[in-house]
């Protein structure tokens, strides 16, 4: 193999190596009961540069959405949000009662001890998107944040 071709192949291989832009700490998914069609995924995210979490996906669910729980008057309401800001170097919690990822249209019940693969989708200020895959253990139904 000629030197220019070998260099090109090595360059292409190295350019495909993705370095984690976001530290994902303590990811987990809440277990479900039979017939339950949705659950939440939670974690702590710390970005190495300013980013936004704009979405997620998982093979276990038909849809995923980024949600926020917030008080509106006297009532706690959950709503989909377009993005969760991730300021550089600041830990942002996705936790019960706050921001979280909803797994909607579950294809089967989830039991404690299983692993769920989640792909998180991030966007920088210039609109460039990146993805990061995370393995999240399923925790018992009544579990709160670790």
């Amino acid at each position: 193999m000629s030197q220019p071709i070998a260099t090109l192949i090595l360059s292409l291989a190295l350019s495909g190596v993705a370095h984690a832009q976001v530290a994902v700490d303590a990811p987990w998914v809440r277990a479900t009961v039979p017939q339950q069609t949705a659950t939440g995924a939670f974690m702590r995210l710390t970005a190495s540069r300013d980013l936004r979490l704009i979405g997620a996906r998982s093979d276990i669910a038909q849809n995923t959405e980024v949600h926020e729980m917030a008080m509106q008057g006297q009532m706690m309401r959950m709503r989909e949000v377009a993005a969760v800001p991730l300021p550089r170097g600041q830990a942002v919690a996705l936790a019960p009662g706050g921001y979280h990822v909803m797994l909607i249209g579950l294809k089967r019940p989830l039991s404690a001890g299983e692993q769920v693969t989640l792909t998180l989708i991030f966007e920088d200020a210039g609109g460039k998107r990146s993805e990061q895959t995370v393995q999240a253990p399923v925790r018992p139904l009544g579990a709160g944040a670790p």
Side-chain angles (χ1 to χ4, degrees):
M1 183 179 304
S2 72
Q3 182 64 29
I5 292 174
T7 302
L8 175 63
I9 290 171
L10 180 60
S11 295
L12 290 173
L14 292 175
S15 69
V17 174
H19 297 287
Q21 298 180 66
V22 179
V24 180
D25 296 312
W28 64 283
V29 174
R30 184 170 282 140
T32 62
V33 297
Q35 310 306 316
Q36 185 176 338
T37 61
T39 193
F42 312 96
M43 64 205 75
R44 205 170 27 261
L45 302 173
T46 307
S48 61
R49 60 191 179 108
D50 290 341
L51 293 172
R52 301 178 324 139
L53 173 66
I54 61 166
R57 67 178 179 274
S58 177
D59 290 341
I60 197 69
Q62 292 174 2
N63 298 304
T64 59
E65 297 176 356
V66 179
H67 279 213
E68 176 185 33
M69 298 272 308
M71 289 297 291
Q72 287 184 340
Q74 300 284 330
M75 185 169 261
M76 181 68 87
R77 299 209 183 244
M78 181 171 59
R79 67 181 179 96
E80 184 178 11
V81 294
V84 175
L86 303 175
R88 182 178 67 114
Q90 295 181 25
V92 175
L94 274 60
Y99 290 118
H100 58 281
V101 174
M102 283 298 297
L103 302 168
I104 302 166
L106 292 172
K107 297 177 180 175
R108 61 176 177 75
L110 300 178
S111 301
E114 290 184 66
Q115 292 284 320
V116 171
T117 302
L118 300 168
T119 300
L120 305 175
I121 305 166
F122 303 102
E123 185 176 78
D124 67 15
K128 184 177 179 187
R129 293 185 177 188
S130 59
E131 297 182 355
Q132 192 167 325
T133 300
V134 175
Q135 293 296 317
V138 177
R139 295 185 59 211
L141 191 59

